Amino acid sequence: MALEIEAKFHPEDERVWHELRSGTELGDFVVRPKGREKLVSSYLDTPDWSLFRAGVALRLRRKAGVPGCELTAKWTGSVNGSIHQREELTVALRRPPRLPIRRLPPPLETRLAATVAKRPLAPILVTRVDRALLSLFRRERLDSEIAEIALDRVVTHGANKRPTLQYAEIEVELRSGPPSTLQELATLLQARYSLTPEPTSKFELGLRALYRGVGHEARGEPSALCSIHMQHRQSLLRWQAADAALRLEFDAVTLCGLQQATKDAFFALLEHGEQEAANGLFAAIGALGRANLLLAAAEDPKSKLSPDKLAALRAQARRVVRRALGNSAYMRALIALERAVYGKDVPVPR
């Protein structure tokens, strides 16, 4: 996982393009041309828009003339003026995957397994970006890049490939140094070129242009849900987070966390009348309980078992959990609670 910190702006005219691309100075900083890129990004989601509803954008990006591609998950973060901060996880792929994607590569699958729940991932939005790259250095340190500026011309379209939205955008991404450096750069750029801070990502801008119903109602934010649905939404999010935590690090704390989250989800399903899905969780809850006992025995400081037997108990606990989390009934329960919280309707094309 990495923390992406960048500033985003909407330019009012072409002046910033011409001046920055020719090389210039910004206060104590020097701007140098770095090259050009042509990018095609497909944003993927399940048929239920599960990632969008969980606050995740999953982007498959290809660069013209470069073999392979990148698959990146970006989580909802914070926006303060022009400054955006959010966690992201990128996996490099040797070749573009066949769409829809049926299984994510391991690092992403670990984090998103309980959100995707074995459903296919297909494009819901495509952006094509013509990007001019610039490097920023401090005048006294021309061998150390401080930040990268991207001058983007963006075209957004859906499955029909008909352009729906075209715009220009400037991104400044911090490469080294404290976040205050990015704020300093953003202030300099905004003052010189009368730039407008852009609080919205390319993904969100594209969705709003292409689809109806991508506001509070679709994402299930507080203003859109009644109190009981909000409680169950929190149960779902805790369940998904606990599942990811256990897959990332198997220990007594994460195991207990998932066991409790799964129990809470069981009762939430019953309150929604999802008896069959709730019944499907019995096996998972029981398996997590058995794994907890096995792990407790393996980590008992008073145990007189040999190290090999203790290791065997830990391995057995892992196997029990792996089977439980891969069970189709467990995945169906995740989907059932998600649909109970958000409904079955998804955003529709304009």
Side-chain angles (χ1 to χ4, degrees):
M1 292 289 291
L3 180 64
E4 179 187 53
I5 306 176
E6 64 181 7
K8 297 169 72 73
F9 298 99
H10 171 71
E12 295 183 0
D13 53 44
E14 295 285 318
R15 184 166 67 95
V16 60
W17 247 253
H18 300 309
E19 288 193 15
L20 290 180
R21 284 174 60 183
S22 63
T24 186
E25 294 186 357
L26 288 168
D28 293 332
F29 300 94
V30 177
V31 182
R32 293 287 183 266
K34 191 176 181 179
R36 297 182 70 89
E37 294 178 336
K38 289 187 181 294
L39 310 171
V40 178
S41 297
S42 298
Y43 291 89
L44 313 175
D45 212 330
T46 70
D48 296 297
W49 285 55
S50 309
L51 293 174
F52 169 76
R53 286 167 166 171
V56 181
L58 183 63
R59 184 189 69 198
L60 180 66
R61 169 171 283 180
R62 290 172 291 156
K63 295 182 183 179
V66 177
C69 59
E70 290 182 344
L71 192 58
T72 300
K74 293 174 179 267
W75 280 262
T76 299
S78 63
V79 180
N80 182 12
S82 65
I83 307 297
H84 297 239
Q85 294 191 52
R86 56 184 174 179
E87 289 188 321
E88 65 176 12
L89 178 60
T90 297
V91 177
L93 304 176
R94 292 184 177 180
R95 60 181 66 88
R98 180 178 297 178
L99 298 177
I101 293 177
R102 301 288 177 179
R103 185 172 183 177
L104 290 168
L108 288 169
E109 184 178 35
T110 299
R111 290 294 303 264
L112 299 176
T115 304
V116 174
K118 295 186 177 181
R119 287 167 285 186
L121 293 160
I124 59 172
L125 168 71
V126 178
T127 63
R128 298 179 182 273
V129 179
D130 185 353
R131 169 171 288 178
L133 291 170
L134 309 164
S135 290
L136 278 86
F137 306 87
R138 287 200 180 274
R139 190 179 290 110
E140 68 274 12
R141 289 290 308 277
L142 295 178
D143 61 338
S144 178
E145 185 182 50
I146 294 292
E148 180 182 79
I149 297 179
L151 307 177
D152 291 345
R153 298 188 188 278
V154 185
V155 178
T156 299
H157 63 79
N160 60 12
K161 297 187 178 181
R162 180 174 58 85
T164 302
L165 178 66
Q166 301 183 52
Y167 61 96
E169 182 180 78
I170 296 174
E171 294 182 353
V172 187
E173 185 170 353
L174 190 66
R175 294 300 194 191
S176 63
S180 58
T181 301
L182 183 61
Q183 184 62 64
E184 182 183 358
L185 284 167
T187 301
L188 289 167
L189 282 166
Q190 193 171 353
R192 178 177 291 189
Y193 298 109
S194 301
L195 303 177
T196 303
E198 177 53 76
T200 310
S201 68
K202 289 182 177 69
F203 177 56
E204 293 272 3
L205 285 171
L207 290 183
R208 293 176 188 178
L210 283 169
Y211 294 94
R212 298 185 183 91
V214 291
H216 295 301
E217 295 80 3
R219 187 161 269 171
E221 293 175 357
S223 62
L225 298 179
C226 65
S227 59
I228 189 66
H229 275 72
M230 277 303 301
Q231 292 175 23
H232 294 162
R233 178 175 183 260
Q234 291 305 314
S235 293
L236 174 64
L237 294 175
R238 283 195 297 269
W239 188 11
Q240 292 169 337
D243 181 282
L246 182 59
R247 292 174 192 266
L248 283 167
E249 186 171 356
F250 182 82
D251 59 27
V253 173
T254 56
L255 182 54
C256 287
L258 181 57
Q259 188 176 12
Q260 184 59 55
T262 306
K263 289 178 181 178
D264 293 342
F266 170 82
F267 290 112
L269 284 166
L270 287 180
E271 289 183 14
H272 276 286
E274 297 287 346
Q275 182 72 50
E276 184 177 350
N279 289 343
L281 277 185
F282 272 131
I285 292 171
L288 293 171
R290 290 195 300 276
N292 220 333
L293 292 174
L294 289 167
L295 192 59
E299 296 180 351
D300 183 358
K302 297 180 181 179
S303 176
K304 297 181 179 180
L305 296 175
S306 69
D308 286 346
K309 289 187 177 181
L310 293 175
L313 287 174
R314 292 190 191 94
Q316 185 180 353
R318 284 180 178 273
R319 286 194 299 272
V320 169
V321 168
R322 193 180 304 116
R323 284 195 296 269
L325 302 195
N327 187 278
S328 59
Y330 179 83
M331 294 299 175
R332 286 197 298 269
L334 279 161
I335 295 171
L337 184 54
E338 178 192 301
R339 290 175 177 171
V341 169
Y342 299 115
K344 296 181 181 180
D345 294 333
V346 299
V348 296
R350 293 186 181 278

